[in-house]
Amino acid sequence: MRGAAGVSVAARRGPEAPRGPVAEPGPAPGGRRFPNPRLTGLGGGLFCVAAMLLLGGLDALLFGSSLIAYGVLFLPVCVLTALWVRPGDVLTAPVALPIAFGAGLFPVADGSAGFLGSLMGVFTGLATQAGWLYGGTLIAGVMVLVRRVRWVRSRRRRA
């Protein structure tokens, strides 16, 4: 079978690629299939910023701007970001998390005196909730390092 450039499909795949059609993995037992997105470094950053803005708004609506609830909601976003970034960009995941934490604090921050009051509320939230920020970033950092080591080892094994 020849492609548009006259090169066979098998030659473009490489020598270690399977020659026949590649079977897609079937659905998980029970008929459900879990998502397995692979985000770029930028996509991972955008995901966690958007998720934290959304969760900050929901926290303000449902929990009355509880900073504890916001910190607890930050932890799953850290885990998902560390898991969903593709292996080549995995080291960028922990960098975006503190930015997302700060961005999501805007709806939660206690600031009633305009923009400067809101900014003061964000700084106060960053100071008082630093444990959640450091904890979530540490969890993501450890997960990212483990994923990176496994990825490098598997590439070395293949080479």
Side-chain angles (χ1 to χ4, degrees):
M1 175 182 224
R2 298 269 174 196
V7 178
S8 71
V9 175
R12 278 188 278 155
R13 286 186 191 159
E16 69 276 347
R19 297 293 184 222
V22 178
E24 291 293 322
R32 292 190 59 176
R33 204 171 160 173
F34 294 105
N36 191 17
R38 290 292 168 220
L39 302 171
T40 62
L42 178 61
L46 290 174
F47 162 74
C48 63
V49 168
M52 290 313 298
L53 280 170
L54 177 70
L55 291 174
L58 285 174
D59 180 28
L61 288 173
L62 299 176
F63 303 116
S65 297
S66 169
L67 290 174
I68 301 295
Y70 179 76
V72 170
L73 292 171
F74 177 65
L75 298 179
V77 172
C78 293
V79 170
L80 290 176
T81 303
L83 288 176
W84 285 351
V85 173
R86 64 185 185 179
D89 295 334
V90 77
L91 295 177
T92 62
V95 174
L97 293 171
I99 298 167
F101 189 86
L105 273 175
F106 274 99
V108 179
D110 183 30
S112 57
F115 177 72
L116 291 178
S118 181
L119 197 59
M120 183 64 91
V122 168
F123 290 143
T124 302
L126 284 171
T128 60
Q129 303 303 312
W132 294 109
L133 174 60
Y134 293 149
T137 306
L138 179 67
I139 290 169
V142 169
M143 291 176 69
V144 159
L145 287 176
V146 168
R147 282 188 64 204
R148 181 68 179 191
V149 166
R150 290 178 66 202
W151 181 67
V152 167
R153 284 184 182 170
S154 70
R155 283 184 53 133
R156 284 186 184 163
R157 247 183 261 130
R158 280 188 271 152

